[in-house]
């Protein structure tokens, strides 16, 4: 390849990297997220075209076949996957990225073996890291998908001697790695390391409960980026190194944000099996000790329609019922009556970071009505009605004062400070944390039972009659 063409490829990579960074910046706001996605996609297109120019990689025929198959799968999936299943889809994407990185690491190592090339320390190290991170990301993401999809229990799964077993896996991987450094032409050891990394990925996610899934999703996303970056070194591809590093860093930052929103450290998320099914409120009280104030749609509509301001708090129950479009319609009807409507978004509401933002954006809810937790909490004391739709743990006041509660110290949306609170839920069943929500028994709280889709549709009808 002549120097001019090589320079053109490197400049294309530089432009693509700049577009990635700009795209990530714009993804930080709901108002510019779509534009950021397009910009990053253009950057990826430039990077792919520049890479395809290097014919030493693989034949164009195989590349075209791969693009066609992948595009068909992606297009069909995008059409069929519901918005409620977006966390599962993200989990699968993370897994596919990890698997691709691990396969490239193994394939490149095997190519060096077949060529009889002297495999140096750096090549062995990069291959081992690619296998470890990629393998863990693949099986960990598949298990996360299974938990979110309900194929596997969402509660933490533990068994006797689990930690010693995990430690033995890690020691076995380290021992195999050392042996491979000494005897780099040992493909059977390489395959053994692949098997260990796959098992370790399962063991990594198995003890993590459903309540911690937003953290796990973002962490595995970071892993997939790091794996891609590592593989970039073995392929001597600067674009892959940069893109992987950006994904890895952004995923890690998001993981830290999620942990902060839950007031938990990453180590406690990974090793304390939080999120199992428990009973009680965390302080020994039971549901039978308190009274629930039920309300019907007509009374709720009157409270909402004659309020000055309403704050809507969406949760996973809204996602399950696919009620985001009906909620937007309710907000529009309330605004026609002069009610100020805002939405309060908790960072870990739902099953992945930004889950509620994605759903509300899909329903064309105005971006300026979405408020982060820190911005909306001071406003609840001046709010006439807080309408909680399918949220649970993120509005539980026990997080503020009950030091025996598993969620103690977690920042919450302080809806209990509103003048009145209406909670739409199917039942009194606990959330991911597995504890009773004391908000439901508050004197200012009214429970409106039923599917969010049906209940909100009824509210829309009742509010229209008030106009």
């Amino acid at each position: 390849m002549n120097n001019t063409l090589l320079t053109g490829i490197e400049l294309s990579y530089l432009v693509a990297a700049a577009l990635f960074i700009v795209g990530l910046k714009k993804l930080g706001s709901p108002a510019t997220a779509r534009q950021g996605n397009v910009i990053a996609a253009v950057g990826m297109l430039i990077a792919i075209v520049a890479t395809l120019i290097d014919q030493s990689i693989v034949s164009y025929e195989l590349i075209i076949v791969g693009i066609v198959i992948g595009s068909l799968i992606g297009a069909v999936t995008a059409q069929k996957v519901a918005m409620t299943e977006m966390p599962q889809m993200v989990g699968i994407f993370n897994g596919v990225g990890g698997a691709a990185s691990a396969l490239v690491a193994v394939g490149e190592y095997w190519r060096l073996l077949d060529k009889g090339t002297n495999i140096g320390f750096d090549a062995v190290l990069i291959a081992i890291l690619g296998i470890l991170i990629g393998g863990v990301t693949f099986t960990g993401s598949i298990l996360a998908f299974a938990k979110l999809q309900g194929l596997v229990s969402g509660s933490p799964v533990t068994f006797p001697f689990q930690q010693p077993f995990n430690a033995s896996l890690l020691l076995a991987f380290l021992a195999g790695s050392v042996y491979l450094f000494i005897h780099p032409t040992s493909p059977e050891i390489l395959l053994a390391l692949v098997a260990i990394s796959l098992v370790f990925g399962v063991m990594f996610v198995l003890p993590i409960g459903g309540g911690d899934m937003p953290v796990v999703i973002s962490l595995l996303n970071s892993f997939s980026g790091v794996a891609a970056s590592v593989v970039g070194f073995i392929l001597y591809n600067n674009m892959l190194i940069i893109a992987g590093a950006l994904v890895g860093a952004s995923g890690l930052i998001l993981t830290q944000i999620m942990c902060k929103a839950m007031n938990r450290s990453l180590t406690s998320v990974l090793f304390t099996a939080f999120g199992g099914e428990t009973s009680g409120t965390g302080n020994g009280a039971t549901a039978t000790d308190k009274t629930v104030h039920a309300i019907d749609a007509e009374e709720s509509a009157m409270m909402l329609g004659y309020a000055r301001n309403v704050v809507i708090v969406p949760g996973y129950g809204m996602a399950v019922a696919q009620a985001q479009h009906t909620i937007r319609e309710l907000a529009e009807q309330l605004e026609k009556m002069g009610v100020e409507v805002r939405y309060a978004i908790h960072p870990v509401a739902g099953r992945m970071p930004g889950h509620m933002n994605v759903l509300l954006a899909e329903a064309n809810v105005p971006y300026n009505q979405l408020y982060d937790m820190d911005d909306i909490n001071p406003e609840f004391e001046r709010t006439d009605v807080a309408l909680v739709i399918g949220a649970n743990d993120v509005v539980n006041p026990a997080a503020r004062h009950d030091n025996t509660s598993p969620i103690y110290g977690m920042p919450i949306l302080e809806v209990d400070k509103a003048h009145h609170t209406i909670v739409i839920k199917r039942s009194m069943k606990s959330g991911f944390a597995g504890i009773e929500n004391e908000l439901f028994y508050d004197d200012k709280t009214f429970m409106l039972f039923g599917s969010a889709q049906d209940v909100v549709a009824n509210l829309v009808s009742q509010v229209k009659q008030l106009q």
Side-chain angles (χ1 to χ4, degrees):
M1 183 179 295
N2 60 60
N3 291 334
T4 302
L5 186 56
L6 185 61
T7 301
I9 291 174
E10 294 302 322
L11 286 175
S12 298
Y13 284 165
L14 182 61
V15 171
L19 291 175
F20 289 161
I21 294 172
V22 173
L24 277 174
K25 174 64 176 176
K26 289 186 175 294
L27 284 172
S29 168
T32 58
R34 291 183 180 179
Q35 183 183 1
N37 204 25
V38 172
I39 291 173
V42 171
M44 181 57 70
L45 177 62
I46 293 173
I48 291 173
V49 171
T51 303
L52 289 178
I53 294 174
D54 185 357
Q55 299 184 43
S56 65
I57 296 176
V58 73
S59 68
Y60 283 114
E61 291 79 6
L62 287 177
I63 290 175
I64 292 173
V65 169
I67 290 175
V68 170
I69 294 174
S71 298
L72 287 174
I73 294 174
V76 172
T77 303
Q79 291 295 325
K80 289 186 174 296
V81 173
M83 292 298 292
T84 50
E85 297 176 345
M86 198 56 63
Q88 292 93 307
M89 190 174 183
V90 172
I92 288 292
F93 283 166
N94 291 339
V96 170
S101 298
L103 287 172
V104 170
V106 172
E108 185 64 13
Y109 196 90
W110 220 274
R111 186 181 70 83
L112 293 176
L113 285 176
D114 288 341
K115 288 177 62 177
T117 305
N118 181 33
I119 303 177
F121 179 89
D122 54 345
V124 175
L125 176 62
I126 293 171
I128 289 173
L129 290 176
I131 290 169
L132 175 62
I133 303 172
V136 168
T137 303
F138 173 60
T139 52
S141 297
I142 295 301
L143 183 56
F145 163 82
K147 280 176 172 280
L148 292 172
Q149 192 68 16
L151 303 176
V152 177
S153 172
S155 299
V157 178
T158 58
F159 55 85
F161 306 108
Q162 186 171 29
Q163 295 303 332
F165 179 75
N166 291 342
S168 66
L169 284 176
L170 184 58
L171 289 174
F173 191 92
L174 291 175
S177 300
V178 171
Y179 186 90
L180 200 62
F181 279 122
I182 300 173
H183 305 283
T185 55
S186 303
E188 65 281 357
I189 298 298
L190 185 73
L191 294 178
L193 294 180
V194 172
I196 293 172
S197 70
L198 295 177
V199 175
F200 194 76
V202 173
M203 300 307 300
F204 177 73
V205 176
L206 199 63
I208 299 176
D212 289 327
M213 273 303 146
V215 176
V216 175
I217 292 294
S218 57
L219 182 61
L220 289 172
N221 178 253
S222 178
F223 283 1
S224 68
V226 173
S229 187
V230 167
V231 169
F233 283 99
I234 200 172
L235 294 177
Y236 299 103
N237 187 289
N238 293 333
M239 189 69 261
L240 198 55
I241 295 171
I242 294 171
L246 288 173
V247 174
S250 59
L252 187 58
I253 292 171
L254 189 56
T255 301
Q256 292 177 322
I257 292 173
M258 295 296 105
C259 288
K260 182 180 179 182
M262 298 172 67
N263 192 39
R264 304 184 66 211
S265 66
L266 183 58
T267 53
S268 69
V269 169
L270 299 179
F271 303 117
T272 58
F274 173 74
E277 292 297 326
T278 62
S279 60
T281 61
N283 57 7
T286 62
T288 57
D289 296 329
K290 299 181 180 180
T291 302
V292 173
H293 305 283
I295 194 173
D296 60 25
E298 184 178 358
E299 293 175 291
S300 300
M302 292 181 65
M303 289 179 62
L304 293 168
Y306 296 121
R308 290 171 302 175
N309 49 67
V310 171
V311 174
I312 298 174
V313 181
Y316 185 67
M318 180 195 75
V320 171
Q322 286 283 278
Q324 60 269 24
H325 293 278
T326 316
I327 289 170
R328 186 206 64 206
E329 185 181 358
L330 173 63
E332 290 175 348
Q333 294 301 323
L334 291 175
E335 288 170 343
K336 289 180 180 179
M337 297 184 66
V339 181
E340 179 188 10
V341 179
R342 291 171 291 179
Y343 297 80
I345 309 298
H346 193 282
V348 295
R351 290 188 173 183
M352 75 173 185
H355 197 181
M356 296 302 104
N357 300 75
V358 170
L359 292 173
L360 294 174
E362 190 246 349
N364 294 319
V365 171
Y367 300 127
N368 60 0
Q369 292 184 358
L370 305 183
Y371 287 79
D372 292 332
M373 177 176 61
D374 292 338
D375 294 329
I376 199 65
N377 269 345
E379 300 297 318
F380 278 117
E381 292 182 351
R382 296 182 288 275
T383 298
D384 289 334
V385 182
L387 179 62
V388 180
I389 306 174
N392 201 324
D393 300 322
V394 297
V395 294
N396 192 342
R400 287 201 307 264
H401 63 81
D402 184 2
N403 57 14
T404 66
S405 173
I407 63 172
Y408 177 67
M410 183 181 87
I412 63 167
L413 291 166
E414 299 176 340
V415 299
D416 59 308
K417 295 183 179 180
H419 300 167
H420 299 286
T421 301
I422 300 174
V423 179
I424 299 176
K425 270 180 66 69
R426 287 179 178 271
S427 67
M428 294 296 292
K429 185 178 179 181
S430 60
F432 279 146
I435 60 174
E436 293 287 350
N437 190 339
E438 65 179 49
L439 173 71
F440 301 162
Y441 310 101
D442 191 286
D443 290 338
K444 298 186 298 180
T445 299
F446 301 90
M447 303 298 296
L448 183 54
F449 293 108
S451 168
Q453 178 70 274
D454 298 334
V455 170
V456 177
N458 197 1
L459 283 176
V460 172
S461 176
Q462 295 292 337
V463 169
K464 286 180 178 180
Q465 295 181 28
L466 297 176
Q467 297 176 11

